[in-house]
Amino acid sequence: MSESDSPTDDALDRLAAECRSLRPVAPSAALTARITACLDDREASSLRAAAPWAKVTWFAERLAWAAGGAVVAAGIMSAVVPRAPQQAGIVALPDAPPVATVATAPVVEAPTAPAEWVDESVGWSDEGIALIDGALPARVLRHFVLERPVAGPDRGIVRPREDVFVVPVAIR
């Protein structure tokens, strides 16, 4: 590009001034009327179409969010909540008392030694810091345990136990 082909500062200033002086032409009355009519038709049709479905879509959206939250919560609970292990067809019911069998003939039972029980840890739960008597801060921990007899007539019985540990803490 040669020196003669480059625009001068005066030419650029004139072009900028000319661009600043340009103003848009006002639209004709016919164009304004056509645009107004189209917009009025569109708004009226959208209001007619949206009015009956507005409440339904609002409710459906909230219901979908609630269902999604329930699915996520169920997934987390099934992954986090500990389950008691099963033994060869024995179902452990935590609140069910043991069922006694009916004997046809009287049976004389010899005194048995107390059964030895084994503790099986199921899980821990940290319930955070709580105030004891409204003044003393303490961390509350829960330990879930299943007690099973090692041998003896009570072998199929499972006793659930929950140990609560209250540990005082100092907050500075």
Side-chain angles (χ1 to χ4, degrees):
M1 181 187 251
S2 68
E3 184 91 18
S4 63
D5 292 340
S6 66
T8 62
D9 289 338
D10 291 336
L12 289 176
D13 289 339
R14 280 192 312 257
L15 180 62
E18 188 178 330
C19 288
R20 280 193 295 270
S21 68
L22 294 176
R23 297 286 175 247
V25 176
S28 66
L31 178 62
T32 306
R34 283 190 359 226
I35 292 173
T36 305
C38 285
L39 289 176
D40 288 344
D41 288 345
R42 220 181 252 168
E43 287 176 6
S45 67
S46 67
L47 288 177
R48 282 192 305 265
W53 290 102
K55 290 182 181 178
V56 173
T57 57
W58 177 86
F59 181 72
E61 180 184 355
R62 270 46 177 200
L63 188 62
W65 277 105
V71 167
V72 169
I76 291 172
M77 290 298 292
S78 66
V80 172
V81 174
R83 291 196 173 95
Q86 303 283 326
Q87 280 186 357
I90 298 173
V91 178
L93 298 175
D95 295 332
V99 178
T101 58
V102 178
T104 56
V107 177
V108 178
E109 295 183 20
T112 58
E116 185 177 331
W117 293 80
V118 176
D119 292 345
E120 178 182 338
S121 178
V122 177
W124 286 85
S125 170
D126 185 359
E127 297 189 3
I129 296 178
L131 293 177
I132 299 174
D133 293 333
L136 179 66
R139 171 162 261 146
V140 179
L141 301 169
R142 292 183 186 270
H143 185 214
F144 302 101
V145 178
L146 293 177
E147 295 178 341
R148 298 177 188 273
V150 175
D154 298 332
R155 182 163 174 137
I157 297 175
V158 176
R159 294 189 307 199
R161 186 179 79 217
E162 182 177 309
D163 299 328
V164 179
F165 298 94
V166 179
V167 182
V169 276
I171 298 178
R172 298 176 195 209

